[in-house]
Amino acid sequence: MITEHVMTDEHNHGTHDTPGSWNGAAEPFKASYGKLMMWYFLLSDAFTFAGFLISYGALRLSMPSWPLPDFVFSTLPGGITHAPLIFVTIMTFVLILSSVTMVRAVQEGHRGNQSGVVKWMFFTIVGGLIFLGCQAWEWTTLIKGESMTVWTNPFGRHIEDGVYLEGDGHDIKAGQAFTVGAPYLIHYHDGHYNQLKYKNSAGEVKEQAFGPKAFGALFFFITGFHGFHVFSGVVFLLIIMLNAMTGLYQNRGNHYEMVEKIGLYWHFVDLVWVFVFLVFYLL
Amino acid sequence: MLNYEESKKVVFKGLILLAVVTLIEVAIALIGNGHIIEGMHWPKWLMYPLMISLSLYKAYFIVYEFMHMRYEVRGLSLSVLMPTVLLVWGLIAFANEGMHWNTSRAQIKEKNAIGLKSDGQSSKSSSEIHSSEVPATEAPATH
Amino acid sequence: MAALTHLEEEKLIKEQGYNDHFYDHHHGDKHQMGFITKYIFCQDHKIIAKQFLITGIIWAIIGAAMSVIFRLQLGFPEADMAWLRPFLGKWIVVNDDGIGSLDPNFYYALVTMHGTIIVFFVLTAGLSGTFSNLLIPLQIGARDMASGFLNMLSYWFFFLSSVIMLASLVLSTGPFSGGWTAYPPLSALPQASQGSGTGMTLWLISLTFFVVSVLLGGVNYITTILNLRTKGMSMWRMPLTIWAFLITAIIGLLSFPVLVAGFLLLMFDRGMGTSFYLSEIFIGGQALDNVGGSPVLFQHLFWFLGHPEVYIIILPAMGLVSEILSVHSRKPIFGYKAMVFSMLAIAFLSFIVWAHHMFMAGVNPFISNFFVLFTLIIAVPSAVKVFNWIATLYGGNVRFNSASLFAIGFVSMFISGGLTGIFLGNSTIDIQQHDTYFVVAHFHIVMGIAAFFGMFAGIYNWFPKMYGRFMNETLGQIHFWGTLIGAYLIFGPMHYIGLAGVPRRYFRFDSFETFKQFDALNQFITVCAIIVFALQILFVVNFFYSIWKGKKVTSKNPWESNTLEWTTPIKPGHGNWEGNIPTVNRWPYDYGKDGVDFIPQIKPLAEGEQHSELHQ
């Protein structure tokens, strides 16, 4: 690389170039076209996700109430409930870990260490698969266990103070009082949703209302779209790992650039998760 | 550019940093919503900016260290990062629109309720609720 | 100092150019032998450009023919349309007296398809796709695009999208008919109208593939321009065409994904029964249980693309026109850097003004104020550009040929259409003008006709580079004057009837007492539209005739132009330059400098000569 630069400088010695003008036949961004393309693809993909998340924001703000995330996401495998946000924190750790192993794979690639690349890519794939497994479990719990679908959202929040007139056999007992903003889950029994009756402070008897439909649909849609990115990332990682094993990239002699490119993609998936995690689980 | 040993260190520092920041975020969510200390609730204006800025910090770290943006040419990082500024106005406009749908829906509901009532007997309540919006409350009466 | 002779030019490239060892690996055109690899699945940017252009021309004929049919309906609603039965089949309803009339459902389908086809297939793919592909490698001094394979895929995704859209035209329920903007609920509920079922599904699939094509093209154009410029071709030495294509590609890369986001949500509303865009809808007195969405959300997502899309259409035309005006007036472009910065400003502003399409859709009036403000600011960079084009022409030794005439026509159209844009950008005036023929006239002039003029100028100017022959100049001039006058005669009166409140998208006006008085005007518009359509057919004939029978180009540089594409052989093969790649020593607009008519970019500075770009 260095000798190349010296040569181009010498070559241009005779011509009258304006100061600072680029002298061609080199890469002004010091990056190959493939890497640049990956960056710009990720930029445009970021705008797709931004479109989704901004739509999420608009729909959420257009609703009088929105489900409380640490109430909705509070189950763990093994029948543990009331463990708010623990499972998703584990999922996030898995994704961060797989990002870290990916960085290691890229670093080994820069050193030209074939076995190192393969090893760390393998760990990355495992991380991706665990994340996908976690997501599958989370979806199953929401759909099967709590009966949330893209059409119906049983997670609501009270918009007034009141007292329950009946219990649901889970957490709510008849006579229990609640305040504005208290979250609730409408349980699904024997083919129908059991909306509990309550009396508000004005003395009117009402039923628990369903939460905003958009919550379920947006959750499944946006995490699904992210999950699809993780899945395709795993597929690409697998292909590239196999190629690396055959020594294909070693022979190309470009410091495992393909690994670097898929690395960018993988970190991007992690990056998107930062924001999905923020808007769905934290805010 | 860092050498191999240095960059290896950066990676594991990064792992710890991201993990800690994530834990802090979750802790804010749990403490602020009263899961750790019974009855303790932090106001949203405190929690939201904190969690949003921590997430932005995580994003910054992933892009700058893991995706190696720090070591790229300035032109490349500018060409990728500058366009995201366009999203700021999008965010403001969409959020504002969302809140507008919320209030206008509530207004329509209120007006419908008033309209139904004034068709019946109690016209008193309508003037109480919406004395400022005379045309809206009078419209059903003229029909 | 004098202009270069061809021999001097070749000597320069040989001595000063650099050898990228291209011909050590490839053997020029010889490695692309078969018909299939050469003309069908071709990775050469020049062939891909022609593929885009010819597909675009076919779509333009279809789209324009549709407009003639619905103009006939509007101008002569009582006329017998039975003669169209061979083309439109059951959409022409023939009554007992044998008088055929257009099915109102199909009228809406025609309007919708006309918009979709012209906006996306002709003025995006046909214009930016053609000229970005043709000119980027040639004008920056590259052998080909950064990735020839992705470039080929870009065309074939466009082709796939075309085929799907074409298939939707012949559905028994007709193509989508809810307007090219595809607002829900007409687009979200398959039962909403005839075209909302399968027609809309195909529309969505087709446009999703189209977006893939645009994105593949876009990343390619950007990386090629950034990474593959020849030695000496700094950013400030690029022709304005290249700047325009670069900025266009960036806009497309950032805005189309948001449209995809909107489309995916729409697909879920259609297929899965979600309620992102639907709320409180009644069909046949029955309330649907879709609650909580907002149709305005789709409009926001759509116009977040839709407005930048307008600039995706007009910017390449602006780039082509800047180059052509400079070449044919034998003067440097006036205010080169101002041109670049105003394009950048337009690109930035295009992303923050989208809701000015939606003032009447129930957007918060408070936020509308900002959208009005930003919209009106666009007038500033646009005016800078117009001023610079006129200043370039001023005092020039203008060669009035088809290319330069169309470029001048572009400026004229851009001014006329831009002025009415200032009216419509005001939310208060928009209350009156929204959805009238005033809007139709405005956007047809400023982005329809203007962009077509830019495209025609480009085709007439670069036809010699594409096919090694000239287009017929007499036919070209007839085409120009007829189209210019015809376009003003069509859209001028539309402003008038629009101001009078005549709404767009109506099937017929003769049943409205208020609008009857404009019957004669509507007939006049229709007649003009038919004449202009005939002139475009003349252009197509000229185009295809000239490919095989046109006057042959005898010199490498027929327009005496400075840019690099005219240093290639008359019919460049794969790899564009036969030997070395030329290096660049100056900016592309040294026309009339120090008394020399033109100095190509490859010529080194003379002793004591100053760089022209330093004074910009």
Side-chain angles (χ1 to χ4, degrees):
Chain A
M1 280 296 278
I2 296 164
T3 47
E4 261 178 46
H5 277 281
V6 174
M7 278 170 69
T8 33
D9 281 344
E10 272 176 359
H11 191 88
N12 283 313
H13 200 63
T15 56
H16 312 263
D17 260 308
T18 44
S21 87
W22 171 62
N23 282 329
E27 292 152 343
F29 286 173
K30 306 241 183 335
S32 70
Y33 81 84
K35 218 169 123 183
L36 277 184
M37 277 187 177
M38 181 51 92
W39 268 115
Y40 295 126
F41 163 72
L42 294 181
L43 178 64
S44 84
D45 212 18
F47 270 67
T48 316
F49 274 107
F52 288 137
L53 294 178
I54 288 177
S55 306
Y56 164 89
L59 284 176
R60 175 172 176 169
L61 288 168
S62 77
M63 289 292 144
S65 78
W66 195 254
L68 192 66
D70 42 86
F71 177 76
V72 178
F73 306 104
S74 64
T75 37
L76 276 177
I80 303 168
T81 51
H82 305 293
L85 304 184
I86 304 301
F87 189 68
V88 71
T89 310
I90 296 168
M91 277 169 75
T92 309
F93 277 138
V94 171
L95 207 56
I96 292 173
L97 264 176
S98 80
S99 226
V100 167
T101 54
M102 191 68 232
V103 181
R104 291 289 297 118
V106 174
Q107 285 172 351
E108 294 298 336
H110 281 302
R111 288 206 310 171
N113 176 3
Q114 187 184 0
S115 61
V117 171
V118 174
K119 181 177 87 183
W120 289 107
M121 281 190 84
F122 176 75
F123 290 142
T124 312
I125 293 171
V126 172
L129 288 175
I130 295 177
F131 180 84
L132 284 174
C134 289
Q135 202 165 40
W137 183 85
E138 190 186 31
W139 278 38
T140 319
T141 316
L142 284 170
I143 297 168
K144 294 274 178 204
E146 281 137 3
S147 303
M148 182 166 91
T149 64
V150 290
W151 310 283
T152 324
N153 168 24
F155 290 101
R157 279 172 91 174
H158 286 292
I159 49 169
E160 51 192 353
D161 295 345
V163 179
Y164 282 113
L165 299 177
E166 50 187 341
D168 64 352
H170 293 270
D171 293 331
I172 299 173
K173 291 174 187 65
Q176 194 176 324
F178 57 83
T179 51
V180 178
Y184 55 83
L185 165 64
I186 301 170
H187 287 279
Y188 186 80
H189 292 297
D190 313 321
H192 71 279
Y193 287 97
N194 182 19
Q195 290 163 279
L196 300 183
K197 289 199 169 47
Y198 68 87
K199 192 190 261 182
N200 69 9
S201 41
E204 294 162 306
V205 175
K206 288 186 177 174
E207 259 183 0
Q208 283 175 326
F210 282 105
K213 281 187 176 205
F215 177 77
L218 283 166
F219 175 79
F220 287 122
F221 185 68
I222 295 179
T223 58
F225 196 68
H226 176 263
F228 173 71
H229 274 72
V230 177
F231 173 74
S232 34
V234 167
V235 172
F236 285 123
L237 280 170
L238 204 61
I239 295 169
I240 289 166
M241 185 184 76
L242 292 176
N243 278 341
M245 281 165 85
T246 61
L248 179 75
Y249 304 129
Q250 194 81 19
N251 297 338
R252 275 189 198 165
N254 60 1
H255 305 284
Y256 287 86
E257 193 187 280
M258 195 54 98
V259 178
E260 204 176 329
K261 281 187 271 188
I262 191 68
L264 285 178
Y265 177 84
W266 193 255
H267 297 312
F268 173 75
V269 169
D270 194 13
L271 180 70
V272 170
W273 183 253
V274 169
F275 292 101
V276 173
F277 180 63
L278 174 71
V279 301
F280 275 106
Y281 298 92
L282 293 179
L283 295 184
Chain B
M1 270 310 229
L2 304 173
N3 67 31
Y4 176 71
E5 289 301 326
E6 281 168 343
S7 49
K8 230 165 107 175
K9 262 186 215 148
V10 171
V11 174
F12 292 107
K13 251 165 69 185
L15 170 65
I16 293 165
L17 190 117
L18 286 180
V20 169
V21 174
T22 309
L23 279 181
I24 295 175
E25 280 181 333
V26 175
I28 292 172
L30 294 185
I31 298 173
N33 288 324
H35 289 285
I36 307 289
I37 303 161
E38 197 66 39
M40 182 178 189
H41 283 275
W42 290 359
K44 297 283 182 231
W45 59 259
L46 180 69
M47 284 164 64
Y48 282 9
L50 269 177
M51 293 192 288
I52 291 170
S53 36
L54 285 173
S55 291
L56 286 176
Y57 178 71
K58 267 163 58 177
Y60 155 82
F61 188 84
I62 291 173
V63 173
Y64 267 72
E65 287 297 342
F66 284 5
M67 297 171 94
H68 268 250
M69 196 56 116
R70 184 192 294 274
Y71 311 103
E72 301 291 357
V73 178
R74 219 172 83 98
L76 173 56
S77 46
L78 283 181
S79 75
V80 174
L81 297 177
M82 287 290 279
T84 52
V85 175
L86 293 171
L87 292 173
V88 175
W89 172 240
L91 202 65
I92 296 170
F94 273 69
N96 185 286
E97 271 294 282
M99 292 190 274
H100 179 62
W101 302 334
N102 193 356
T103 47
S104 49
R105 255 193 214 126
Q107 265 175 11
I108 290 167
K109 254 186 201 159
E110 221 167 277
K111 281 181 188 170
N112 284 349
I114 293 161
L116 286 174
K117 275 184 191 164
S118 59
D119 280 346
Q121 58 287 89
S122 105
S123 59
K124 189 190 107 219
S125 60
S126 65
S127 54
E128 261 177 17
I129 296 169
H130 252 256
S131 53
S132 59
E133 289 193 33
V134 182
T137 51
E138 283 194 346
T142 53
H143 282 294
Chain C
M1 197 165 76
L4 288 173
T5 65
H6 292 306
L7 277 177
E8 283 172 330
E9 197 179 287
E10 266 161 35
K11 198 167 152 239
L12 257 179
I13 296 179
K14 207 167 176 183
E15 287 171 1
Q16 295 249 336
Y18 70 90
N19 184 0
D20 59 345
H21 304 288
F22 180 75
Y23 290 98
D24 301 350
H25 315 297
H26 307 274
H27 302 280
D29 226 2
K30 287 178 203 115
H31 80 292
Q32 295 198 333
M33 288 303 280
F35 178 81
I36 295 212
T37 45
K38 189 159 180 203
Y39 293 108
I40 311 284
F41 294 107
C42 181
Q43 302 190 15
D44 185 78
H45 69 101
K46 298 181 289 297
I47 302 286
I48 295 174
K50 290 176 196 171
Q51 290 173 330
F52 268 111
L53 181 58
I54 288 173
T55 319
I57 288 177
I58 294 169
W59 273 121
I61 296 169
I62 297 175
M66 287 174 166
S67 73
V68 169
I69 297 171
F70 61 70
R71 256 338 297 183
L72 275 175
Q73 164 65 29
L74 290 171
F76 307 95
E78 299 296 335
D80 180 15
M81 295 221 215
W83 60 276
L84 277 168
R85 255 186 100 80
F87 304 105
L88 301 183
K90 68 162 185 165
W91 299 113
I92 299 291
V93 183
V94 179
N95 66 9
D96 298 336
D97 306 330
I99 306 287
S101 57
L102 190 68
D103 186 325
N105 284 310
F106 199 64
Y107 171 82
Y108 290 110
L110 282 175
V111 178
T112 305
M113 284 297 124
H114 170 75
T116 310
I117 289 169
I118 301 286
V119 168
F120 291 113
F121 291 172
V122 181
L123 293 178
T124 304
L127 176 57
S128 150
T130 304
F131 287 103
S132 298
N133 268 306
L134 179 72
L135 293 180
I136 287 175
L138 281 171
Q139 287 195 332
I140 64 171
R143 295 287 185 196
D144 203 329
M145 285 287 179
S147 169
F149 178 69
L150 290 187
N151 208 23
M152 178 189 84
L153 277 190
S154 163
Y155 173 74
W156 286 104
F157 270 106
F158 168 50
F159 186 80
L160 185 62
S161 131
S162 292
V163 169
I164 296 171
M165 191 63 82
L166 208 56
S168 88
L169 294 181
V170 295
L171 285 176
S172 65
T173 47
F176 179 53
S177 54
W180 79 279
T181 50
Y183 286 173
L186 275 183
S187 60
L189 294 170
Q191 66 272 38
S193 75
Q194 269 199 19
S196 302
T198 324
M200 180 61 195
T201 308
L202 291 187
W203 190 92
L204 270 176
I205 297 170
S206 165
L207 280 194
T208 308
F209 281 125
F210 183 79
V211 174
V212 175
S213 154
V214 171
L215 293 182
L216 284 173
V219 282
N220 226 334
Y221 305 152
I222 295 172
T223 39
T224 307
I225 293 172
L226 291 178
N227 246 18
L228 268 73
R229 280 167 290 148
T230 181
K231 191 176 291 179
M233 179 66 86
S234 64
M235 292 297 270
W236 292 115
R237 284 183 188 168
M238 296 196 309
L240 284 173
T241 37
I242 302 298
W243 272 107
F245 299 142
L246 174 66
I247 295 168
T248 307
I250 294 172
I251 298 178
L253 195 73
L254 301 179
S255 61
F256 272 104
V258 180
L259 180 74
V260 171
F263 277 179
L264 286 172
L265 294 176
L266 186 58
M267 285 176 191
F268 272 68
D269 269 9
R270 290 171 60 76
M272 295 276 292
T274 54
S275 324
F276 296 116
Y277 302 135
L278 297 170
S279 195
E280 285 102 16
I281 307 239
F282 290 82
I283 287 191
Q286 287 289 309
L288 301 185
D289 55 333
N290 297 83
V291 196
S294 169
V296 183
L297 175 63
F298 180 82
Q299 298 190 17
H300 275 294
L301 290 169
F302 181 86
W303 285 113
F304 193 93
L305 155 93
H307 195 74
E309 168 67 22
V310 176
Y311 293 98
I312 292 174
I313 288 172
I314 203 74
L315 279 177
M318 286 176 167
L320 296 172
V321 163
S322 307
E323 176 71 18
I324 291 166
L325 282 183
S326 175
V327 171
H328 291 288
S329 58
R330 314 309 293 158
K331 274 182 68 190
I333 190 82
F334 188 91
Y336 172 82
K337 281 198 177 172
M339 288 297 229
V340 175
F341 284 125
S342 51
M343 277 197 278
L344 285 169
I346 288 173
F348 172 72
L349 289 169
S350 75
F351 279 95
I352 58 173
V353 298
W354 73 89
H356 67 211
H357 296 267
M358 304 159 52
F359 287 145
M360 296 300 288
V363 172
N364 188 355
F366 171 73
I367 203 104
S368 287
N369 291 332
F370 295 95
F371 282 108
V372 172
L373 180 70
F374 297 147
T375 304
L376 297 187
I377 292 176
I378 298 189
V380 178
S382 308
V384 168
K385 294 191 77 74
V386 167
F387 177 81
N388 287 355
W389 286 319
I390 294 174
T392 305
L393 284 166
Y394 180 76
N397 189 10
V398 187
R399 299 194 290 223
F400 289 105
N401 53 24
S402 317
S404 67
L405 283 174
F406 268 110
I408 295 166
F410 168 90
V411 179
S412 161
M413 286 292 166
F414 189 68
I415 294 172
S416 322
L419 284 177
T420 50
I422 300 175
F423 294 37
L424 292 169
N426 283 291
S427 54
T428 41
I429 303 177
D430 193 59
I431 295 172
Q432 160 72 12
Q433 302 309 341
H434 185 81
D435 257 352
T436 64
Y437 270 87
F438 192 81
V439 179
V440 176
H442 158 71
F443 72 73
H444 272 91
I445 286 192
V446 79
M447 70 175 241
I449 303 298
F452 264 110
F453 271 38
M455 189 170 168
F456 287 138
I459 294 173
Y460 282 109
N461 195 64
W462 278 282
F463 193 86
K465 194 75 255 167
M466 279 192 262
Y467 295 103
R469 291 172 188 270
F470 291 99
M471 286 181 73
N472 185 305
E473 182 61 27
T474 319
L475 292 181
Q477 300 242 355
I478 295 170
H479 177 212
F480 168 72
W481 289 108
T483 313
L484 180 82
I485 296 166
Y488 273 122
L489 289 182
I490 294 170
F491 296 110
M494 273 194 197
H495 287 99
Y496 174 70
I497 61 173
L499 281 174
V502 177
R504 63 195 279 210
R505 290 182 172 144
Y506 273 34
F507 178 56
R508 57 195 295 172
F509 293 112
D510 52 353
S511 42
F512 295 88
E513 208 52 51
T514 341
F515 304 141
K516 263 188 188 159
Q517 51 182 320
F518 302 114
D519 278 358
L521 214 46
N522 265 324
Q523 286 169 10
F524 173 74
I525 293 173
T526 301
V527 172
C528 292
I530 294 169
I531 295 171
V532 170
F533 178 68
L535 283 165
Q536 308 318 305
I537 298 297
L538 183 73
F539 163 77
V540 175
V541 170
N542 186 2
F543 182 86
F544 285 104
Y545 177 82
S546 304
I547 290 180
W548 289 284
K549 299 279 160 116
K551 195 179 86 188
K552 273 195 175 161
V553 178
T554 48
S555 83
K556 271 187 179 177
N557 192 355
W559 305 125
E560 301 176 309
S561 174
N562 286 343
T563 39
L564 289 180
E565 76 269 32
W566 305 106
T567 62
T568 58
I570 292 173
K571 278 192 165 183
H574 183 67
N576 298 339
W577 285 271
E578 271 166 346
N580 292 343
I581 292 187
T583 51
V584 166
N585 293 297
R586 54 177 75 237
W587 78 323
Y589 296 109
D590 272 342
Y591 293 103
K593 189 187 187 189
D594 304 333
V596 185
D597 186 32
F598 71 106
I599 313 173
Q601 280 190 284
I602 56 170
K603 185 166 170 135
L605 289 193
E607 204 67 45
E609 190 189 353
Q610 290 255 316
H611 270 296
S612 315
E613 67 253 36
L614 291 181
H615 305 296
Q616 274 298 315

